[in-house]
Amino acid sequence: MRIFGSATVVAMAMAAVLGGCGQKADAQTTGSQTTDAPPAEGAPYVLKGTQVWNVPDPVSGRRYQVFVSLPASYEADSSRRYPVLYVTDADYAFPIIRQIARRVNLDGPVIEEFILVGLSYAEGDHGADSRRRDYTPTPNGPRNSRDAVHGGGSAYQTYLKSQVLPFIEEKFRADPARRVLLGHSYGGLLGAQILFTDPAMFHGYVLGSPSLWFDKHHMTGVEAAYARTHRDLDADVFMYVGEHEVPGPTRRNSEADMVGDMRNLQRTLESRGYPSLKVRSVVLEDEDHLTVAPVGFTRALQAVLPAR
């Protein structure tokens, strides 16, 4: 199974430290303050108007960061609260989603303005190692990464609930009733875990190419356990997958039938008859596990955060 490697899209050199947080977290921001000296030739490219905040996990001792991008109208109306989109695998997904949201609204509102929060990998960890541990529900990893640590999804879920969500909602004008979680691959697996164990953490769930195959379809049992004890699931769920994410002869094909897994999950959820659940999905033509993310992100934003 192919997964995204770590990237360094978001620059680590920032311009200034922000004060007034009132919590044990510090931030750096890119491009929001002017400087007297022009940038040096060959300096790193930075995403102007974005912020990086340290939000550590007091239980594990790991240091994580959250990347924040505020909507264009944020400073104009101090009474307005915004939906928040939390995205896993922030090193690549955060800048892509930020630019998609800006681009599609150029000729008029298509997507509602929102606060974007990127969830980073643990500092000092390779991205692949961090996501294998934090986004998976059991220690039983696939054959090609069996030696790596898996199964920290529950602990990471607790970290998000107890540290990240309160931090964002105390620091920014975030609407707690309109949280959306977007995850791709193992990030989509984490989203499914939260959806079926603590669905009220988020209102919207984007499960992008979710790795439902993990540990012999472990998530199928988690969903069934939820259904046995609940008569409703109050959530807005959007799923996407690439057309080539099925077993086949080319390098674009996946080992698992991720198209079939997504469709089976949708059928199962629809069969539950949950009155408050909204679920839909799309198979994106001529896309594979690596190419589908930008298109899937765009379709997801249009689905879960349409302009009002």
Side-chain angles (χ1 to χ4, degrees):
M1 189 68 210
R2 291 174 294 170
I3 59 174
F4 286 98
S6 177
T8 55
V9 179
V10 179
M12 302 309 294
M14 304 297 175
V17 176
L18 297 182
C21 172
Q23 298 193 34
K24 291 185 178 180
D26 54 15
Q28 294 176 309
T29 183
T30 73
S32 62
Q33 298 182 8
T34 59
T35 58
D36 294 331
E41 289 291 337
Y45 176 80
V46 297
L47 293 178
K48 293 184 178 181
T50 62
Q51 304 174 18
V52 179
W53 293 87
N54 294 315
V55 184
D57 178 7
V59 176
S60 68
R62 297 187 186 97
R63 290 178 57 85
Y64 296 93
Q65 293 178 324
V66 293
F67 309 155
V68 179
S69 178
L70 300 176
S73 66
Y74 190 84
E75 299 299 334
D77 184 355
S78 61
S79 64
R80 181 177 174 183
R81 291 191 172 272
Y82 293 84
V84 184
L85 179 71
Y86 296 84
V87 60
T88 64
D89 295 293
D91 71 326
Y92 76 86
F94 177 82
I96 293 174
I97 292 174
R98 182 175 184 267
Q99 295 308 103
I100 288 172
R102 290 156 60 100
R103 183 73 179 175
V104 299
N105 282 348
L106 283 179
D107 291 333
V110 174
I111 295 168
E112 181 180 0
E113 287 190 301
F114 61 91
I115 297 171
L116 175 62
V117 177
L119 304 171
S120 77
Y121 303 132
E123 290 186 7
D125 284 353
H126 189 279
D129 294 332
S130 184
R131 69 195 308 274
R132 287 187 188 117
R133 178 192 62 235
D134 292 342
Y135 298 171
T136 58
T138 76
N140 303 319
R143 292 188 302 274
N144 62 0
S145 61
R146 190 164 289 166
D147 293 337
V149 176
H150 297 78
S154 179
Y156 186 73
Q157 177 177 333
T158 299
Y159 159 71
L160 292 181
K161 185 173 184 177
S162 65
Q163 303 299 318
V164 176
L165 300 185
F167 174 78
I168 293 297
E169 288 165 9
E170 290 176 17
K171 180 67 182 173
F172 303 101
R173 295 196 310 277
D175 184 351
R178 303 194 63 207
R179 304 173 189 146
V180 179
L181 177 65
L182 188 159
H184 182 88
S185 191
Y186 274 177
L189 179 66
L190 174 69
Q193 171 190 294
I194 297 173
L195 176 64
F196 300 133
T197 59
D198 191 1
M201 271 184 66
F202 299 91
H203 171 68
Y205 289 84
V206 177
L207 310 182
S209 297
S211 300
L212 301 172
W213 52 265
F214 185 86
D215 191 8
K216 301 177 182 177
H217 292 84
H218 172 83
M219 200 52 58
T220 300
V222 178
E223 185 281 327
Y226 179 88
R228 284 194 295 270
T229 56
H230 296 81
R231 294 293 175 264
D232 199 6
L233 179 58
D234 186 5
D236 182 6
V237 179
F238 179 82
M239 299 184 287
Y240 68 80
V241 70
E243 176 187 23
H244 296 293
E245 295 191 74
V246 294
T250 76
R251 65 175 182 82
R252 301 193 70 189
N253 293 117
S254 300
E255 293 182 16
D257 183 3
M258 300 179 71
V259 173
D261 288 345
M262 183 190 73
R263 286 173 167 161
N264 287 337
L265 178 58
Q266 180 169 357
R267 282 193 293 266
T268 297
L269 290 175
E270 290 173 341
S271 73
R272 303 298 187 192
Y274 296 129
S276 302
L277 174 65
K278 181 178 182 181
V279 59
R280 61 267 200 228
S281 67
V282 62
V283 178
L284 295 170
E285 183 179 356
D286 198 29
E287 302 290 352
D288 59 42
H289 194 65
L290 298 182
T291 66
V292 73
V295 183
F297 293 167
T298 303
R299 298 288 289 273
L301 291 176
Q302 293 171 319
V304 302
L305 289 169
R308 292 183 166 187

